[in-house]
Amino acid sequence: MAALGVEFLCLGAAGREAITAGETAEIVVGLKNSDALPSSTGKRMSSSSMDITSPRCPDGFLELSGCDKLGTELEDLSDDLLGEIVSWLPDARDQARVERVSTRFRKSCKLVKTVKFLCRMKNVQRCTGPNAKHVTPFKDIVMSKLVHLTCVERLRLEIEDEMQASRFKEEVIEKNSLWISDDKFVLQWLPPVSANLISLTIIDYGQQAIFHQTMLLQHLSNFCKNLQFLELRNMFLDCAPTACSTADQMKPTRLSGVKVLTLRCVKLTENGLKDLNDCMPNLITLTLVTIVGLRDARFKSDKLKVLCLGLATRVKSVKLEVNALTKLQLKMACPDELRVEARSLQCLAVCMDKRQDAIVEFKGVNKLRELLMGASEFSTLDKLCSANPGLEKVFLDVPCMTFEDDGGWKAVLSHVPLNLPNMKHIKIKCTKLHTLSIGPGLWYSLEQDTKTNPETFSPTWPVLTTLILQIIVQELEVSLKLFRGLLESIPSLENLEVYVHKDSNMELEEFGPLKELFPTVQWKLDWWKKGLKFNRFSF
């Protein structure tokens, strides 16, 4: 789920903003007559063309005004369907406004299936002086809403990004009042909504929550028997059964129904990955981003199909036995031992430099169709290319570039070797390769190499049809020379995409003469600043 952009306001009598019955009628009747309604089968249809939070209906919607028409148009809708419609509103604030319209709406709002709470800065800041306003604690807002709901299936609790970067003094905010994964608070809000809960997202207040161990998984195991989708961010998880603080502390933590798990900026215990494996044996998709605390990362599953393993701290060993896996992404410092057995793997992305003393082994990986690699040591690349002659798409980069948070280019990292992959080896081994993408670090390395070795791309690529370049031009003359040599080495080229970083020393018009020299190539030229392009890949 994308981060919400609608602020959550305090819902006390003094803090609510009234919504007219006419506006609510427009929202609900508009949804009733729209193709964007959830179908009776439970499938959601497209809603991209409408904005149900706008004060008036989109073109073509039936518009009403006033309470006298509201009942007439809605009387044929059941309370359950009205509750599902209200679930589409983007924030719990909007649902609370709808409750104020009528007794019928108040009853229907108790049947909402999707609830999203977003805590923003104004929900916690306290003012002083004669004009000070009362601020209802975020946790109280959550509880006042959830205790009245009866069939919640999808719940999201989130502390907004602006607050994540703030450290509050105790006179501004009560200590731990934003710690959503606090055991006491979890045991308050979870039981009322647990029976039907299918999807849960919690984005905690990271600067304090990452240091406080939570028994959230144990509580979910005790209460949520239908949970399938779980996303957690900014917390310290321990799923070992003996750590639970409830009366059932010796009961194994088991979430067998969970199919999709996403953890971001989460601390685990030393063997936390194995604990997750035992806790959720039926995972289909596992995404771990910026994980700390692991010492040994071991995972074995015959059901997992997608795995993203991003470790922020070095681990001793990584051992994965996942023979049903089709997509794997690894981003980490090289462990002492990395062993992957994935006989069904088709898409592999690796951002890791192999150390000379490390063991790196991909067992049974010989069905790859896509390979993405960021490294300055390419022995693993050579082995994978030799074992996977059916490779069709390859992305390569050298992680030597640093950027600002907004995407602005900073510098070239002096400690990263500017090594080049063996292009001849790739061409010989991967005879089905038709798409090659080059990242900004590798382009810089090629620029430097072109000054002394103009034959880098001299071998002809027989079947390559698509070339994607994402570059930061340092020396225009060298780059243009490299461009020409590269295009001359690929006579089969049909599509060329060039994305030039906005901090480059060139203008897009500089490509004009080259476009005339290669008229059969379909060119696409554009700028980029933040985020590389992977549109032609499955990741």
Side-chain angles (χ1 to χ4, degrees):
M1 298 185 185
L4 302 176
V6 181
E7 64 188 53
F8 185 97
L9 301 180
C10 300
L11 300 178
R16 291 178 182 157
E17 178 183 345
I19 182 172
T20 69
E23 288 172 344
T24 305
E26 290 178 8
I27 291 174
V28 178
V29 177
L31 281 170
K32 175 190 172 187
N33 289 275
S34 167
D35 290 336
L37 268 175
S39 70
S40 60
T41 62
K43 294 182 179 180
R44 281 191 178 179
M45 302 177 72
S46 172
S47 62
S48 59
S49 61
M50 68 177 184
D51 178 9
I52 63 175
T53 63
S54 67
R56 299 196 60 78
C57 292
D59 293 341
F61 276 34
L62 176 62
E63 295 188 10
L64 301 179
S65 60
C67 291
D68 54 335
K69 297 181 181 180
L70 179 60
T72 303
E73 295 294 334
L74 299 180
E75 61 184 5
D76 58 335
L77 294 182
S78 67
D79 289 338
D80 288 343
L81 184 54
L82 269 178
E84 179 66 15
I85 292 173
V86 174
S87 295
W88 277 57
L89 294 171
D91 192 88
R93 176 197 67 173
D94 302 288
Q95 295 176 3
R97 290 177 177 176
V98 172
E99 289 180 13
R100 294 171 60 86
V101 173
S102 67
T103 302
R104 171 83 191 281
F105 272 67
R106 191 175 303 114
K107 180 180 178 181
S108 298
C109 285
K110 293 182 180 180
L111 302 176
V112 296
K113 295 183 179 180
T114 301
V115 187
K116 306 172 185 176
F117 294 91
L118 176 64
C119 181
R120 303 194 68 176
M121 192 72 75
K122 62 174 62 179
N123 299 127
V124 299
Q125 285 183 324
R126 298 172 178 170
C127 302
T128 57
N131 298 323
K133 295 182 180 180
H134 173 71
V135 176
T136 304
F138 177 67
K139 291 183 177 180
D140 291 350
I141 296 173
V142 172
M143 288 305 305
S144 67
K145 176 74 174 177
L146 293 185
V147 294
H148 298 295
L149 302 182
T150 60
C151 54
V152 176
E153 294 181 357
R154 298 168 293 273
L155 176 62
R156 183 183 183 95
L157 305 174
E158 177 179 0
I159 308 295
E160 70 161 356
D161 289 343
E162 182 182 358
M163 291 180 58
Q164 298 288 358
S166 302
R167 290 186 177 274
F168 297 98
K169 297 180 179 179
E170 289 194 15
E171 60 266 23
V172 178
I173 178 174
E174 293 181 5
K175 186 176 182 181
N176 290 337
S177 65
L178 292 181
W179 186 17
I180 304 176
S181 58
D182 168 56
D183 287 347
K184 181 179 179 181
F185 181 54
V186 170
L187 290 174
Q188 289 177 336
W189 63 259
L190 183 59
V193 298
S194 61
N196 300 297
L197 200 62
I198 295 174
S199 175
L200 174 63
T201 299
I202 300 179
I203 301 178
D204 214 334
Y205 179 40
Q207 290 191 356
Q208 61 176 0
I210 196 68
F211 300 108
H212 294 269
Q213 187 171 326
T214 174
M215 301 300 110
L216 176 63
L217 294 182
Q218 285 85 351
H219 301 319
L220 294 178
S221 173
N222 290 334
F223 290 102
C224 300
K225 305 307 179 184
N226 299 307
L227 194 64
Q228 299 179 30
F229 306 91
L230 181 59
E231 179 181 358
L232 305 175
R233 192 180 308 181
N234 301 336
M235 57 187 67
F236 179 7
L237 291 175
D238 183 356
C239 55
T242 56
C244 189
S245 58
T246 68
D248 299 324
Q249 64 178 9
M250 296 307 296
K251 182 179 180 180
T253 303
R254 197 77 168 174
L255 290 164
S256 300
V258 176
K259 301 294 192 297
V260 178
L261 173 65
T262 302
L263 303 181
R264 297 178 186 272
C265 300
V266 167
K267 181 179 180 180
L268 297 175
T269 54
E270 288 188 352
N271 298 302
L273 189 58
K274 183 180 181 301
D275 292 338
L276 287 176
N277 197 175
D278 296 337
C279 174
M280 305 176 198
N282 296 313
L283 283 174
I284 303 298
T285 300
L286 175 59
T287 303
L288 305 177
V289 180
T290 317
I291 302 300
V292 301
L294 288 176
R295 175 177 172 81
D296 292 295
R298 298 170 184 264
F299 200 91
K300 182 178 181 180
S301 171
D302 57 0
K303 298 180 180 180
L304 193 70
K305 294 184 179 298
V306 179
L307 172 61
C308 172
L309 184 58
L311 305 180
T313 52
R314 186 187 299 277
V315 299
K316 183 177 181 180
S317 67
V318 176
K319 295 182 180 180
L320 308 174
E321 188 176 338
V322 281
N323 283 313
L325 201 70
T326 59
K327 291 184 181 180
L328 173 61
Q329 182 175 354
L330 300 173
K331 185 176 182 181
M332 64 185 76
C334 186
D336 296 339
E337 182 181 17
L338 169 63
R339 297 184 187 273
V340 177
E341 182 175 344
R343 299 182 183 277
S344 301
L345 195 63
Q346 297 181 20
C347 304
L348 172 63
V350 180
C351 184
M352 181 190 75
D353 265 329
K354 180 185 179 301
R355 303 197 325 264
Q356 286 187 346
D357 59 339
I359 299 173
V360 175
E361 178 182 277
F362 288 88
K363 183 179 179 181
V365 178
N366 51 27
K367 298 179 182 178
L368 287 183
R369 295 292 178 267
E370 300 181 15
L371 175 61
L372 297 84
M373 177 162 286
S376 60
E377 199 282 335
F378 293 105
S379 61
T380 301
L381 172 65
D382 293 340
K383 292 179 181 178
L384 286 171
C385 288
S386 297
N388 292 273
L391 269 172
E392 298 172 357
K393 301 178 182 180
V394 171
F395 167 84
L396 300 173
D397 197 14
V398 176
C400 63
M401 295 292 187
T402 55
F403 299 87
E404 303 285 357
D405 291 339
D406 63 357
W409 179 70
K410 291 175 63 175
V412 177
L413 294 173
S414 58
H415 67 276
V416 177
L418 300 180
N419 297 325
L420 295 177
N422 189 336
M423 295 295 182
K424 292 181 180 179
H425 179 77
I426 298 174
K427 187 204 71 161
I428 293 171
K429 296 296 183 180
C430 305
T431 57
K432 296 183 179 180
L433 184 67
H434 59 70
T435 298
L436 176 63
S437 180
I438 293 177
L442 179 54
W443 183 260
Y444 177 77
S445 300
L446 289 170
E447 276 190 339
Q448 302 306 304
D449 187 67
T450 298
K451 296 178 182 179
T452 58
N453 180 20
E455 304 297 324
T456 299
F457 280 93
S458 58
T460 301
W461 293 69
V463 296
L464 198 63
T465 59
T466 300
L467 179 63
I468 305 164
L469 305 175
Q470 301 172 79
I471 64 177
I472 305 173
V473 176
Q474 304 292 313
E475 301 180 51
L476 178 57
E477 184 177 349
V478 176
S479 274
L480 292 177
K481 180 181 178 181
L482 178 57
F483 264 110
R484 181 166 180 170
L486 184 55
L487 295 182
E488 288 175 345
S489 71
I490 313 175
S492 56
L493 190 64
E494 298 174 1
N495 304 296
L496 174 62
E497 298 180 19
V498 183
Y499 301 96
V500 182
H501 195 276
K502 291 187 176 181
D503 293 338
S504 296
N505 297 319
M506 74 172 301
E507 299 293 334
L508 296 184
E509 290 76 12
E510 304 284 355
F511 289 105
L514 285 175
K515 293 177 68 174
E516 295 178 0
L517 288 174
F518 301 93
T520 61
V521 177
Q522 183 67 39
W523 287 67
K524 179 180 179 181
L525 299 174
D526 203 353
W527 299 102
W528 73 282
K529 186 173 182 180
K530 191 174 184 179
L532 298 179
K533 310 291 184 181
F534 295 104
N535 298 338
R536 294 184 179 267
F537 292 85
S538 299
F539 285 93

